[in-house]
Amino acid sequence: MPNPTAAMIVIGDEILAGRTRDSNLHQLAGRLAETGIDLVEARVIADSPGAIVAAVQELSGRHDHVFTSGGIGPTHDDITADCVARALGAAIDVRDDARAILQAHYDATGKELTEARLRMARIPEGAELIGNPVSAAPGFTLRNVHVMAGVPRIFEAMLAGLLPALPGGRPRISDTLRVERPESELAGPLRRLAGEMPDLTFGSYPFEEGSRYGANIVVRGADAATVAAGMERLRALFEDDFAG
Amino acid sequence: MPNPTAAMIVIGDEILAGRTRDSNLHQLAGRLAETGIDLVEARVIADSPGAIVAAVQELSGRHDHVFTSGGIGPTHDDITADCVARALGAAIDVRDDARAILQAHYDATGKELTEARLRMARIPEGAELIGNPVSAAPGFTLRNVHVMAGVPRIFEAMLAGLLPALPGGRPRISDTLRVERPESELAGPLRRLAGEMPDLTFGSYPFEEGSRYGANIVVRGADAATVAAGMERLRALFEDDFAG
């Protein structure tokens, strides 16, 4: 059975404007790879209702899971929850379970649950809450769309709570050979090897580190023995360059 | 006149698999903001012909510019040039001008222009070359699609050569007020202010730095005087918290 597939939607004007550097994609990609869910595409879109609704509709129809980050705070530009509800045709309002979580949090910190803060209890009908151990305000899962915060520490904590509940597939097996030789010298042998071992994929990712350069050749496959066989062939080909 | 719009396509299995962290999006976003070209969306997609062709067709039809990074090296998984040509209905083959650049480069370094290296001279008919001062192999512009390398240093150098040739718009004016107060306390006043100053947008981006937290409020607009007026109103609202 093929692995479940996933897409990510990063919601954030500030990333597109070059002010903030997203780190949630890298975090999600790494965790999904361990889980055996294949991240197939990611999009960074603006804080705009049209863009959010369109991306959620398109990607939730195409993948087993969609993960969003950003836009679920208390300010007027936090429109993700309402847009996801609209995209999937769900009603949305302040929900009692989410309100109770916020109430307990603000009671404990001696603060008031203001109208602005109550916005963070707007949860679509039928959604499951995603816990937020950092700052209480929950994310949610509506059908196959998982809505999480943009602040990296909260995103990471929500994801850690969410992932064990999702049925994963087989983690992809991969191994990497680092070769300090120009990629253009590896290309011919690598292409032939890829043709001879059709159960594996061979990716070549050039690197530069000061005056050293070369490529990381990544072998991927469904089982460890085949990947190991691919690595052995690779080492034999590029033995002189083997550096780890 | 509105600014030109742009989209980015990051081509890279290795980013979706969590092995590599993309930095070209952040680089492009910053440079475009200075240039007055509005980056409206970005996608990270797999090294797959179907995904590349579909993304290029969709985004080149919707935006003034599309910038791609990745997949133009010499190995079998470098398929971007051929996919962009196919997406836009252009013929592609080894082109004499690109071959001459590579020939000169390899002559100078005492190396042979092998068949694998010649792949990097595959350039679509009608495309303009984008210079590569780092490692010679050129990128190209085909219609409104700018195809560049994935290695960050090369991407940055290609972009530096390309951007001055693109007609820009008005750089967006923005200024930021850092407020060390929970976003939920800022939300109400901020929403009212945004309603009163419709020529400006007010974005609120929460931060956490150890035990300090708050929000960066970013004011954006078309001219400096209006943005300055917005900043003044913001400071008056959140004066006690003004920290820069």
Side-chain angles (χ1 to χ4, degrees):
Chain A
M1 220 176 82
N3 282 354
T5 67
M8 181 178 197
I9 305 175
V10 177
I11 295 155
D13 281 346
E14 72 278 23
I15 293 158
L16 292 169
R19 267 190 313 278
T20 302
R21 190 170 164 165
D22 167 69
S23 66
N24 293 329
L25 166 57
H26 186 62
Q27 169 72 22
L28 179 70
R31 297 298 312 273
L32 289 184
E34 294 160 9
T35 309
I37 295 175
D38 293 344
L39 183 62
V40 175
E41 57 181 315
R43 297 191 184 175
V44 184
I45 62 174
D47 304 347
S48 121
I52 300 172
V53 169
V56 168
Q57 287 182 337
E58 181 183 345
L59 296 174
S60 68
R62 191 188 296 168
H63 297 289
D64 296 307
H65 298 283
V66 173
F67 299 85
T68 79
S69 80
I72 62 167
T75 59
H76 65 284
D77 57 343
D78 288 309
I79 57 175
T80 301
D82 281 75
C83 292
V84 170
R86 197 204 303 175
L88 301 183
I92 183 168
D93 206 339
V94 169
R95 232 172 62 174
D96 289 343
D97 52 352
R99 179 208 284 264
I101 290 169
L102 293 176
Q103 188 74 63
H105 174 74
Y106 288 111
D107 284 353
T109 53
K111 289 178 177 163
E112 207 188 326
L113 181 52
T114 58
E115 199 187 330
R117 287 174 174 146
L118 252 191
R119 252 179 88 73
M120 296 187 287
R122 288 181 69 80
I123 303 285
E125 215 174 281
E128 298 263 334
L129 300 184
I130 299 175
N132 171 355
V134 178
S135 56
F140 62 84
T141 295
L142 181 61
R143 287 183 226 150
N144 64 343
V145 180
H146 312 287
V147 174
M148 292 178 284
V151 174
R153 196 156 71 90
I154 306 179
F155 181 83
E156 191 176 334
M158 286 181 164
L159 190 61
L162 172 66
L163 282 183
L166 303 183
R170 295 171 74 169
R172 291 164 89 184
I173 311 283
S174 72
D175 204 349
T176 301
L177 185 73
R178 178 186 161 98
V179 182
E180 293 195 1
R181 205 194 272 188
E183 218 190 355
S184 54
E185 289 181 12
L186 315 176
L190 196 57
R191 172 189 299 271
R192 281 188 294 277
L193 181 57
E196 289 169 29
M197 303 191 82
D199 290 346
L200 297 175
T201 65
F202 293 84
S204 172
Y205 306 108
F207 67 84
E208 269 199 14
E209 294 161 10
S211 64
R212 301 167 80 123
Y213 62 95
N216 287 302
I217 305 177
V218 178
V219 186
R220 271 159 288 187
D223 72 80
T226 321
V227 170
M231 285 296 288
E232 204 163 314
R233 294 286 303 275
L234 268 187
R235 286 202 186 91
L237 276 175
F238 303 121
E239 203 155 42
D240 295 345
D241 306 90
F242 179 44
Chain B
M1 221 177 80
N3 282 353
T5 66
M8 180 178 198
I9 304 173
V10 176
I11 295 154
D13 281 346
E14 73 279 22
I15 294 158
L16 292 169
R19 268 190 312 278
T20 302
R21 191 170 162 161
D22 167 70
S23 66
N24 293 329
L25 166 57
H26 187 61
Q27 169 71 21
L28 179 70
R31 298 298 312 273
L32 290 183
E34 294 160 12
T35 310
I37 295 175
D38 293 343
L39 182 62
V40 175
E41 56 181 315
R43 296 191 186 176
V44 184
I45 62 174
D47 303 348
S48 120
I52 299 172
V53 169
V56 168
Q57 287 181 337
E58 181 183 343
L59 296 174
S60 68
R62 191 188 295 170
H63 298 289
D64 296 308
H65 298 285
V66 173
F67 299 85
T68 78
S69 79
I72 62 167
T75 58
H76 65 283
D77 58 343
D78 288 309
I79 57 176
T80 301
D82 282 75
C83 292
V84 169
R86 197 204 304 175
L88 301 182
I92 183 168
D93 206 339
V94 170
R95 230 170 67 173
D96 289 344
D97 52 352
R99 177 207 285 266
I101 290 169
L102 293 177
Q103 187 74 63
H105 174 74
Y106 288 111
D107 284 352
T109 52
K111 289 179 176 159
E112 208 189 325
L113 182 50
T114 58
E115 198 188 331
R117 286 172 174 147
L118 252 191
R119 250 179 90 72
M120 296 187 286
R122 288 180 68 79
I123 304 284
E125 213 173 283
E128 298 262 336
L129 300 184
I130 299 175
N132 172 355
V134 177
S135 56
F140 62 84
T141 295
L142 180 61
R143 287 185 225 144
N144 64 344
V145 180
H146 312 288
V147 174
M148 292 178 285
V151 175
R153 197 157 70 93
I154 305 178
F155 181 84
E156 190 175 336
M158 286 181 165
L159 190 60
L162 171 67
L163 281 183
L166 303 182
R170 295 171 72 173
R172 291 165 89 184
I173 310 283
S174 72
D175 204 348
T176 302
L177 185 71
R178 177 187 160 96
V179 182
E180 293 193 2
R181 206 194 273 189
E183 219 191 354
S184 54
E185 289 181 12
L186 315 175
L190 197 57
R191 172 190 299 269
R192 282 188 293 278
L193 181 57
E196 289 169 29
M197 304 191 81
D199 290 347
L200 297 175
T201 65
F202 293 83
S204 173
Y205 306 108
F207 67 83
E208 270 199 12
E209 294 161 10
S211 63
R212 301 166 79 124
Y213 63 97
N216 288 301
I217 304 176
V218 178
V219 186
R220 270 160 288 188
D223 72 80
T226 321
V227 170
M231 285 296 287
E232 204 162 315
R233 293 286 304 275
L234 268 187
R235 286 201 186 91
L237 275 175
F238 303 120
E239 203 154 43
D240 296 344
D241 307 90
F242 179 44

